[in-house]
Amino acid sequence: MRKPLVAGNWKMNSPDESCTKLLQKMLEKTHVIESMLKTMPNAEVDIALFPPSVYLKDTQEILSGSNLQWGSQNVSAYNEGAYTGEISAAMIKSFGCTYVLIGHSERRCLYEKLELDQHILDKIVAEKYCRSVKNGLTPIICIGESSDDYTSGKTEEIIARLLDILIEERGVKELAKTVLAYEPVWAIGTGESATPEWAQEVHSFIRQRIAKHDPETAESIRILYGGSVKEGNAPAIFAGPDVDGGLIGGASLDVEEFIHICFAAALKTG
Ligand code: 13P
């Protein structure tokens, strides 16, 4: 059984209270969830937070020694050099990060404005993936279709294209060192999540595509769903057998709501 993961992507939001206060509150609440989980022998969940990068040092100081993990919202495709504003995988690792988000659609849009074609964008994602794994980080690689692609039935094509590039780049076994996140662009920040049936269907497609290369990797890799996950819809979405947790945006800024979502994921194994 795969251990569920719930990742909170704070994006560039400034919570009402400071980031450090939010981190403290999260920490306090996870103690609550841990004691609740102790009463359910098999229930378990990994929880990771993705604050803006300037708070990674605070995050390391506050969360070190706890069961909470953390990561960066982006990573450079390069090791070092004249890349103003970028952060390397080694720098991210030095702040105690376990994870890094790669290929989030909100970052892809920036490149799309430069009119790079999708294949080149997927290649950049693959380079970031290589760089992260080499530096001991676990990439959470985001995949998802736009609203237009969804309505014209191109979801599988778009997902298959990136998966094939990732597998080509480092082989299928290396993919086991990553987490995938299916985030339909039309569901991000819209309040309109994918239905549990649709999420499960796409997750199953992803797993089957990997299984064609290596059934063991397909069985072990965690696939998260992201896009308007809230306390109310999390249990139904997470019930899908191929849904291993969530990548949460807006709702991760509300400690109570986020903890309920984490609990819903933990119940998958409980
Ligand atoms: P929302 O949960 O706000 O829709 O954001 C999802 C997301 O983009 C997580 O990376």
Side-chain angles (χ1 to χ4, degrees):
M1 187 77 190
R2 296 173 294 271
K3 187 175 183 183
L5 166 65
V6 177
N9 177 7
W10 291 2
K11 308 192 178 183
M12 202 179 71
N13 290 302
S14 316
D16 295 340
E17 52 215 327
S18 68
C19 271
T20 46
K21 277 210 185 110
L22 193 57
L23 287 162
Q24 298 279 11
K25 268 191 166 181
M26 286 283 180
L27 188 60
E28 281 160 27
K29 283 290 172 183
T30 45
H31 293 320
V32 176
I33 196 171
E34 273 160 29
S35 41
M36 279 163 86
L37 293 183
K38 277 196 192 122
T39 64
M40 310 161 116
N42 298 319
E44 54 177 5
V45 62
D46 281 334
I47 304 173
L49 301 174
F50 294 77
S53 298
V54 289
Y55 299 108
L56 284 176
K57 189 165 165 41
D58 294 316
T59 307
Q60 184 180 28
E61 280 168 13
I62 294 168
L63 302 186
S64 282
S66 77
N67 283 335
L68 286 173
Q69 298 171 310
W70 59 96
S72 161
Q73 296 177 14
N74 187 29
V75 62
S76 170
Y78 303 98
N79 256 346
E80 62 176 350
Y83 302 103
T84 304
E86 294 286 314
I87 310 175
S88 74
M91 290 170 185
I92 290 167
K93 186 72 185 166
S94 75
F95 286 109
C97 292
T98 303
Y99 300 99
V100 61
L101 296 182
I102 295 181
H104 195 286
S105 61
E106 288 160 6
R107 295 209 54 83
R108 271 180 179 258
C109 306
L110 304 177
Y111 290 110
E112 275 160 11
K113 282 188 196 138
L114 299 175
E115 295 182 3
L116 291 182
D117 82 27
Q118 292 298 327
H119 186 79
I120 295 177
L121 291 179
D122 286 345
K123 281 284 203 190
I124 295 172
V125 170
E127 279 165 24
K128 292 183 174 198
Y129 152 48
C130 295
R131 201 64 71 198
S132 303
V133 170
K134 277 186 193 154
N135 282 278
L137 292 163
T138 301
I140 300 183
I141 305 173
C142 305
I143 313 183
E145 77 285 8
S146 68
S147 171
D148 285 351
D149 289 334
Y150 173 66
T151 39
S152 55
K154 286 191 182 155
T155 304
E156 292 188 353
E157 184 191 318
I158 282 159
I159 288 172
R161 190 187 59 213
L162 177 59
L163 283 178
D164 291 352
I165 289 178
L166 296 175
I167 292 169
E168 201 179 288
E169 202 70 37
R170 287 186 70 85
V172 67
K173 289 280 183 203
E174 280 288 281
L175 212 54
K177 295 183 182 162
T178 74
V179 174
L180 298 176
Y182 170 54
E183 292 210 309
V185 179
W186 46 269
I188 296 178
T190 59
E192 201 186 307
S193 76
T195 61
E197 295 75 21
W198 176 256
Q200 166 54 28
E201 195 179 317
V202 177
H203 283 225
S204 160
F205 169 77
I206 295 171
R207 212 176 289 287
Q208 283 172 29
R209 184 100 190 171
I210 300 169
K212 280 190 195 150
H213 298 267
D214 181 35
E216 220 179 291
T217 301
E219 191 47 39
S220 67
I221 195 166
R222 293 189 284 190
I223 310 174
L224 312 183
Y225 167 80
S228 296
V229 176
K230 307 277 175 228
E231 179 184 344
N233 59 15
I237 294 173
F238 295 166
D242 289 301
V243 181
D244 304 310
L247 180 52
I248 319 299
S252 69
L253 294 164
D254 180 322
V255 180
E256 295 291 337
E257 179 152 22
F258 185 64
I259 291 302
H260 276 103
I261 294 171
C262 295
F263 198 64
L267 291 182
K268 272 189 84 85
T269 48

